[in-house]
Amino acid sequence: VLTATNTIANALTVQGDLTLSSNQSVTVQGTGSYKRGNKVRHIAATSGFGNGVFTETRVQADGTVGVLYIPVQVDEGERFTSVAILVDPAGAGVMTIILQRVTPPTTVTTVASSSTSGSAQQTITFSGLTETVTSSTNYYQIRVTFAASGDQVYNAMVTTDIP
């Protein structure tokens, strides 16, 4: 067992596992890799684009059925474990929420999807995801299809790890 309170003067070679206390970092240079536990990103719906009225805290359907796209920033090698999105349907129709992988120029693949109706604020959660970002040319987005005027989207929480 090696214990250091400040720094290690020379390079450290580890043949096996290296465990750090919480909130500590390891820098890996070159083509090395590392694993980590869950990382949660909070994404405002207002960072997206599409149909709707954008306010400081939410996006609301503005009288037409429309679509909102919320970009999800992830790095190559990360794996989605869950996505949760806070919505408030207006009570008419069905809102559809889809996590999509986009491979330019034209391929769109559904990673997870759900729909909801009613008139109560609710969190839609996709859990148990195993989608790993394998190409830096792919990107991800959450697509929300509004069903009625007054449908609202607030924010999303995206949880990833590095397997």
Side-chain angles (χ1 to χ4, degrees), residues 8 17 23 25 36 39 42 63 132 136 157-158 161:
I8 298 171
D17 294 335
N23 302 318
S25 300
R36 67 159 165 75
K39 179 178 185 176
H42 297 268
T132 299
S136 60
M157 283 191 335
V158 175
D161 66 6

Side-chain angles (χ1 to χ4, degrees), residues 3-139:
T3 303
T5 56
N6 292 319
T7 62
I8 298 171
N10 298 308
L12 174 65
T13 300
V14 178
Q15 296 177 344
D17 294 335
L18 175 66
T19 302
L20 299 177
S21 299
S22 296
N23 302 318
Q24 300 299 308
S25 300
V26 171
T27 301
V28 179
Q29 296 178 343
T31 59
S33 63
Y34 68 97
K35 296 179 181 184
R36 67 159 165 75
N38 288 342
K39 179 178 185 176
V40 179
R41 292 176 175 86
H42 297 268
I43 306 169
T46 54
S47 68
F49 62 93
N51 303 88
V53 176
F54 287 70
T55 71
E56 292 176 341
T57 61
R58 68 185 185 281
V59 178
Q60 179 172 321
D62 64 353
T64 61
V65 175
V67 177
L68 172 68
Y69 295 94
I70 304 169
V72 178
Q73 301 296 319
V74 288
D75 294 326
E76 190 169 342
E78 287 187 274
R79 175 178 59 192
F80 287 91
T81 58
S82 69
V83 173
I85 184 163
L86 181 60
V87 299
D88 193 350
V94 176
M95 290 177 72
T96 303
I97 300 98
I98 305 171
L99 174 63
Q100 298 177 319
R101 176 180 63 246
V102 180
T103 306
T106 59
T107 304
V108 179
T109 305
T110 297
V111 176
S113 67
S114 184
S115 58
T116 187
S117 59
S119 59
Q121 189 177 85
Q122 54 197 283
T123 300
I124 304 301
T125 303
F126 306 130
S127 58
L129 300 177
T130 59
E131 173 80 9
T132 299
V133 182
T134 59
S135 171
S136 60
T137 61
N138 291 340
Y139 65 89

Side-chain angles (χ1 to χ4, degrees), residues 140-158:
Y140 291 83
Q141 62 192 15
I142 298 169
R143 176 190 165 124
V144 179
T145 302
F146 294 118
S149 178
D151 283 351
Q152 298 178 67
V153 181
Y154 292 92
N155 66 320
M157 283 191 335
V158 175

